Amino acid sequence: MAKSSLLSLLLFGATSFASPASPLTKRETVTVTQTINSPSSTSSIWSTGAKTDFPIHSSCNHTERAQLERALGEAVTLAKHAMEHILRWRNSSEIYQKYFGNASTGEPIGWFEKVVAGDRGGYLFRCDNPDGNCAQEGWGGHWRGSNATDETVICPLSYSTRKPLEAMCGYGYTVTGSNTNFYFASDLLHRLYHMPAIGEGTVEHYAGEYDECLELAETHPEEAVRNSDSLQYFALEAYAYDIALPGEGCVGKPVVPSSTPVASQTGVPTPTVTQAPSVTSEAAKECHTHSDGTEHCL
């Protein structure tokens, strides 16, 4: 190759690499343009003003507030595990089938999720006695109903009798033989569902006792998934079986009503004396009001 041709080729290459309109320069310009079009800081505006703490009224003293905050946290723990149990096993879970039958899993997951992650600005817990109900024997708390739709009162009885969630399966507790309000967490779960912001007037009492809830799951599963007591029983049993005593739980044996034997006519029947059962403060009947104004006692 001639020297003049080789020199021309080298000069041409140097000119090409030094061109200001090279592909590299264009790519850098595009990058700057993409930065301008990136999402701005306004993307978090949708959550502005959200309430993440449970609202507790100033009527609660330091001790009551401390207990209530802990118990509400435990209610979230109970609901969260109930939701996670369903998400893990769906409706193949025997515990799920027991309380909700063949119902779709979406609704109970939603009710538990509302307790776990729903906005907490639409209701209020208070510790005074504005309606006078705490003065009645056996009242651990009540939803205020038409007096204040978004408020519930926690009476002194709750603070003195409710057990912590860490004691699950302790104190002789069994799912079948103990009240759903034995633990402060499950009691508050029930009270949260009374709040319109949580239960939406849909979670109600379609069945109450353990055996009634099991029957509801078989006959009306569409009601079981929005039955307050069924949601409580499920959350309690799932937590006991999965967390407290893994693989064992503390279901207990269902209480079977004893049948009255027919008296023999071969002799003179001997009269029996039935003694009234003793009443303790922890076994006292507890009452509260419902959204329709009716009174419910356990």
Side-chain angles (χ1 to χ4, degrees):
M1 180 181 292
K3 292 184 178 180
S4 58
S5 299
L6 179 60
L7 180 61
S8 298
L9 181 60
L10 292 173
L11 289 173
F12 175 78
T15 304
S16 299
F17 283 114
S19 174
S22 67
L24 178 61
T25 304
K26 290 182 179 180
R27 283 196 294 271
E28 290 176 348
T29 302
V30 171
T31 302
V32 172
T33 301
Q34 289 177 342
T35 301
I36 294 173
N37 293 332
S38 64
S40 65
S41 59
T42 59
S43 61
S44 62
I45 286 180
W46 69 271
S47 62
T48 300
K51 304 296 182 182
T52 57
D53 295 328
F54 286 104
I56 299 176
H57 193 255
S58 59
S59 61
C60 300
N61 62 37
H62 180 76
T63 300
E64 291 168 334
R65 177 179 290 272
Q67 292 183 76
L68 194 50
E69 287 178 343
R70 173 171 177 166
L72 285 166
E74 291 178 345
V76 170
T77 298
L78 190 63
K80 185 173 185 291
H81 179 72
M83 178 182 67
E84 291 174 342
H85 180 98
I86 301 175
L87 289 171
R88 169 63 180 87
W89 298 106
R90 300 185 292 279
N91 57 7
S92 66
S93 162
E94 292 184 3
I95 302 177
Y96 183 92
Q97 295 171 9
K98 181 178 182 179
Y99 295 105
F100 303 128
N102 60 0
S104 170
T105 62
E107 190 162 349
I109 287 174
W111 295 128
F112 290 125
E113 175 69 4
K114 291 198 72 174
V115 174
V116 174
D119 187 271
R120 293 164 183 167
Y123 48 90
L124 180 68
F125 288 92
R126 56 192 305 160
C127 303
D128 53 359
N129 191 20
D131 307 311
N133 290 328
C134 289
Q136 302 182 59
E137 183 180 358
W139 281 65
H142 64 94
W143 176 66
R144 297 195 65 200
S146 59
N147 291 337
T149 305
D150 299 323
E151 295 183 2
T152 194
V153 176
I154 306 300
C155 300
L157 180 66
S158 288
Y159 298 107
S160 62
T161 60
R162 301 284 180 260
K163 300 298 186 291
L165 189 60
E166 64 189 20
M168 173 63 71
C169 294
Y171 296 99
Y173 169 84
T174 63
V175 176
T176 60
S178 304
N179 289 334
T180 53
N181 59 11
F182 188 89
Y183 296 100
F184 214 159
S186 53
D187 177 67
L188 289 175
L189 190 62
H190 158 248
R191 299 191 188 284
L192 283 165
Y193 285 133
H194 270 304
M195 303 287 199
I198 302 293
E200 301 179 1
T202 300
V203 177
E204 280 290 350
H205 289 281
Y206 300 94
E209 300 298 326
Y210 175 80
D211 56 343
E212 295 174 348
C213 290
L214 300 191
E215 182 180 358
L216 186 68
E218 295 181 359
T219 58
H220 296 286
E222 74 283 357
E223 292 183 354
V225 292
R226 55 184 61 173
N227 180 44
S228 177
D229 290 87
S230 297
L231 291 167
Q232 288 174 272
Y233 273 122
F234 172 79
L236 286 164
E237 183 165 340
Y239 191 88
Y241 186 85
D242 295 341
I243 306 298
L245 295 176
E248 180 180 350
C250 49
V251 177
K253 296 181 179 179
V255 178
V256 180
S258 59
S259 57
T260 304
V262 178
S264 172
Q265 300 298 320
T266 57
V268 179
T270 304
T272 59
V273 178
T274 302
Q275 296 181 347
S278 59
V279 179
T280 64
S281 59
E282 293 189 9
K285 177 177 70 173
E286 183 181 331
C287 305
H288 57 267
T289 53
H290 286 193
S291 57
D292 59 359
T294 59
E295 183 178 303
H296 179 222
C297 296
L298 296 174

